[in-house]
Amino acid sequence: MASIELSAKELLAWRRRQLALGGRSVDLDWLLDLGGGLCWSSMQKLHFDQRQEVRLAQPIESLEKLWLIHIKEHVPLQYLIGRCPWRDFELEVSKAVLIPRQETEILVDLALKRVGKLNKGKGSWADLGTGSGAIAVSLARALDGWQGYAVDCSKDALILAERNLKSLAPKANCQMHLGNWWNPLRPWWGTINLVLCNPPYIPKALLAALAPEVRDHEPRLALCGGIDGLDACREILSGAMQGMMAGGFLMMEHHHDQSDQVLELMRDAGLKDVEFSFDLEGVRRFAIGRRP
């Protein structure tokens, strides 16, 4: 698709017209960045110097069509563009996977801080419920020489995750496995040093109250955690002692009000050194445990 050049004045007028139709300015600027190739800092400069010429990566009419779909049908822009920035790279995304959230980046940071407490040198990690492969790509890029395992019960999600791994971590030693949580990793039970998971954890009764962008478009399989939101958490923890190597860490994300319950489930499963950590808003969002 051919790019197009227009004046800053024309672009800002177009932007005002789109926002008059609805939606948030931050989302429209995101569309101009990821879809039009106009980064946020460049966008801000246009307000001060409208004599500039702007070159967009695709015609303004194409961006306008995407914006209208977004505000009228509540389709997430990440799905419309097919990409999502995460950490220091961009992931391919589709309706087959949950859109990676910024707070989940913290889960990776927590894991990497604890790698030094594991065996010196190389080890193995697992990303249970990999989705787009966001966590798997991050671990593969950071833990050079480690063996990785990315697991998902959705074939479409696993295909997408594999594309992201090949594109963003081409030298990674990561195996893709189709199946439910620990089951596909049975041959490697007892050998895995580090396990990360962002499982479905929304209680069933809360699904209807979610924003339409999430409720109507993101995969229910990746959202609903059963009656209390902890079904997947219980399944994962039931296999933790078998699946992990002695001394290995398990870290998972959970709903904003599930911290006490998840920590207790970890202790009941036999994990030690159980603790919580906070998300970007200071909410207890992550649970960490270690196999004795």
Side-chain angles (χ1 to χ4, degrees):
M1 188 175 292
S3 61
I4 187 171
E5 190 171 284
L6 66 165
S7 70
K9 186 176 181 179
E10 289 173 323
L11 179 63
L12 291 173
W14 174 86
R15 182 176 179 273
R16 287 192 295 272
R17 290 197 301 272
Q18 303 316 304
L19 290 175
L21 298 173
R24 305 186 307 166
S25 60
V26 64
D27 293 329
L28 182 56
D29 290 343
W30 189 94
L31 175 62
L32 284 168
D33 186 351
L34 270 291
L38 180 66
C39 68
W40 184 86
S41 59
S42 296
M43 181 70 215
Q44 302 314 302
K45 292 177 182 178
L46 300 184
H47 293 281
F48 299 100
D49 183 4
Q50 296 188 20
R51 297 169 299 176
Q52 299 181 58
E53 292 293 317
V54 181
R55 181 173 291 277
L56 297 177
Q58 58 178 303
I60 201 77
E61 294 81 7
S62 299
L63 296 175
E64 187 168 329
K65 287 179 182 178
L66 295 177
W67 182 247
L68 288 174
I69 293 172
H70 170 65
I71 61 175
K72 290 183 177 181
E73 301 177 24
H74 302 289
V75 181
L77 288 170
Q78 292 90 336
Y79 290 154
L80 293 173
I81 296 294
R83 301 197 308 280
C84 178
W86 205 73
R87 292 180 74 82
D88 58 343
F89 50 84
E90 283 184 17
L91 291 155
E92 178 186 348
V93 294
S94 75
K95 289 190 175 184
V97 300
L98 196 73
I99 296 169
R101 267 58 170 186
Q102 190 178 7
E103 64 257 22
T104 308
E105 297 181 17
I106 298 175
L107 187 63
V108 175
D109 293 333
L110 292 170
L112 296 179
K113 286 179 182 178
R114 285 162 175 77
V115 165
K117 296 181 180 181
L118 298 171
N119 296 342
K120 298 292 183 180
K122 299 178 181 179
S124 63
W125 55 263
D127 175 18
L128 303 183
T130 192
S132 65
I135 290 174
V137 169
S138 298
L139 294 178
R141 287 161 65 101
L143 300 177
D144 185 43
W146 282 50
Q147 172 65 56
Y149 306 99
V151 177
D152 206 286
C153 63
S154 165
K155 184 178 180 180
D156 290 338
L158 206 63
I159 290 171
L160 181 62
E162 186 169 21
R163 282 205 302 270
N164 278 323
L165 272 158
K166 287 182 177 178
S167 171
L168 298 165
K171 297 181 180 180
N173 185 15
C174 180
Q175 299 178 14
M176 315 300 290
H177 294 278
L178 180 65
N180 195 44
W181 308 125
W182 294 101
N183 291 340
L185 302 182
R186 184 179 293 269
W188 301 278
W189 281 2
T191 69
I192 302 172
N193 304 89
L194 180 65
V195 179
L196 270 64
C197 185
N198 181 17
Y201 54 68
I202 306 295
K204 187 176 182 180
L206 299 183
L207 291 175
L210 295 175
E213 289 84 358
V214 178
R215 181 192 64 225
D216 300 336
H217 297 283
E218 298 200 61
R220 187 182 181 92
L221 185 66
L223 293 170
C224 185
I227 299 299
D228 64 356
L230 295 173
D231 285 359
C233 177
R234 292 188 184 93
E235 285 190 63
I236 293 163
L237 289 172
S238 69
M241 294 294 283
Q242 285 180 306
M244 288 193 298
M245 177 182 287
F249 284 100
L250 185 149
M251 306 179 191
M252 63 170 56
E253 186 173 327
H254 53 71
H255 203 231
H256 65 84
D257 58 357
Q258 293 172 342
S259 181
D260 288 337
Q261 294 166 281
V262 175
L263 297 181
E264 188 62 30
L265 287 171
M266 281 189 162
R267 296 187 188 98
D268 291 344
L271 300 184
K272 304 297 182 183
D273 302 326
V274 172
E275 58 181 315
F276 62 81
S277 193
F278 301 99
D279 66 12
L280 296 168
E281 297 181 353
V283 175
R284 289 166 57 170
R285 178 73 67 172
F286 308 102
I288 304 165
R290 195 172 191 183
R291 180 183 168 182

